């Protein structure tokens, strides 16, 4: 069964009932690091559109949807909202592991129309927004280093101001080589000052409307980790409250359905 969307294409009426978290956060805030920890601690895999697409395109499975994705990517085009939503539906309803207790979206939605469409196929319990002052973000991004082998992330920045206390996260053996694979560490082009300024500008333009969208819905949760990953214990407790609240609401709904 399906319904016609405002955008003119079909949306399946099947609804994803497990908790959905949407991660928001400017480049350099540590969203990816926090997301990985939340994912492990709460058995909620992170859905990355890019990674999932690469898996679909590189796999043996075939379908009209996958063939359409391959064609668009081969031509260097951008996926339209219809295709993206169908990809997400495939992940939620066909490729879901029953053991998962929910899902975390990182990098999606990027626009208000996408956020509205996501609401039609699942219930976003919270938009978790991580933020730091812009000058702190710039320092963190400038200090970032990446392994050329396994892409493990490190950071040379030492930050001690305005209540922020962040220690460098560098290899323990050799500061020039990755601890995991001995790969060489590099300073990426997009972590140079000019590129950083452009990335932060684009993020603001794209994400501020999304923040307001989730604030209006009353599900926006903002956290300012001033000690970086060292702040995760209290962030974990906050996420725990969100998950427990979502599970209680789900249980209450099921009980009402049985009456």
């Amino acid at each position: 069964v399906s319904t016609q969307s405002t955008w003119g294409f079909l949306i399946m009426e099947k609804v994803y009932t497990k908790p959905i978290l949407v991660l928001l956060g400017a480049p350099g805030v540590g969203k990816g690091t926090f997301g990985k920890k939340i994912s492990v601690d709460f058995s909620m895999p992170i859905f990355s559109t890019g990674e999932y697409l690469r898996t679909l395109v590189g796999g043996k499975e075939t379908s009209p949807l996958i063939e359409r994705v391959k064609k668009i990517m081969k031509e260097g085009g951008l996926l339209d909202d219809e295709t993206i939503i169908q990809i997400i539906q495939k992940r939620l309803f066909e490729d879901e592991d029953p053991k998962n207790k929910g899902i975390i979206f990182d990098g999606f939605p990027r626009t208000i129309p996408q956020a509205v469409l996501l609401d039609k196929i699942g219930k976003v319990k919270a938009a978790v927004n991580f933020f730091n002052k812009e000058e702190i973000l710039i320092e963190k991004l400038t200090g970032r280093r990446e392994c050329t082998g396994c892409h493990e992330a490190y950071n040379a920045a030492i930050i001690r101001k305005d209540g922020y206390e962040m220690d460098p996260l560098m290899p323990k053996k050799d500061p020039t080589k990755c601890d995991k694979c001995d790969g060489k560490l590099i300073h990426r082009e997009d972590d140079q000052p000019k590129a950083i300024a452009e990335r932060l500008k684009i993020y603001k333009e794209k994400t501020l409307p999304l923040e307001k969208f989730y604030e209006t819905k009353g599900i926006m949760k903002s956290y300012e980790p001033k000690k970086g990953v060292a702040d995760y214990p209290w962030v974990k407790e906050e996420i725990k409250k969100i998950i427990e609240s979502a599970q209680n609401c789900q249980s209450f709904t099921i009980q009402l359905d049985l009456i």
Side-chain angles (χ1 to χ4, degrees), residues 120-162:
K120 292 181 181 294
I121 57 177
K123 182 67 174 177
V124 176
K125 299 301 180 183
V128 181
N129 180 44
F130 295 104
F131 73 96
N132 285 157
K133 289 182 178 179
E134 185 166 316
E135 61 183 286
I136 300 297
L137 292 175
I138 292 172
E139 282 193 47
K140 289 177 68 178
L141 286 168
T142 303
R144 195 154 66 175
R145 302 291 184 270
E146 183 178 284
C147 171
T148 54
C150 66
H151 303 291
E152 181 74 7
Y154 295 93
N155 204 301
I158 301 174
I159 301 174
R160 297 279 189 279
K161 63 180 178 182
D162 298 335

Side-chain angles (χ1 to χ4, degrees), residues 21-46 104-106 128-132 136-137 140 144 153 164-166 169 221-240:
L21 296 183
V22 171
L23 297 187
L24 301 175
V29 77
K31 173 169 60 77
T33 301
F34 283 113
K36 288 176 184 177
K37 288 182 173 293
I38 293 169
S39 174
V40 171
D41 287 339
F42 296 98
S43 299
M44 297 175 70
I46 297 175
I104 299 169
F105 280 89
D106 183 2
V128 181
N129 180 44
F130 295 104
F131 73 96
N132 285 157
I136 300 297
L137 292 175
K140 289 177 68 178
R144 195 154 66 175
Y164 287 87
E165 295 181 12
M166 298 184 186
L169 298 171
K221 307 291 183 182
S222 293
Y223 306 109
E224 184 180 13
K226 291 190 171 185
K227 296 182 180 179
V229 72
D231 275 333
Y232 179 66
W234 67 260
V235 170
K236 178 181 176 181
E237 287 304 309
E238 292 297 312
I239 300 298
K240 183 179 178 181

Side-chain angles (χ1 to χ4, degrees), residues 52 55-56 61 66 87-98 100:
Y52 188 66
T55 300
L56 285 183
E61 183 181 357
I66 294 174
I87 288 166
I88 288 172
Q89 287 176 319
K90 172 175 169 52
R91 166 59 185 83
L92 295 181
F93 304 128
E94 295 180 25
D95 300 337
E96 173 72 348
D97 185 336
N100 293 339

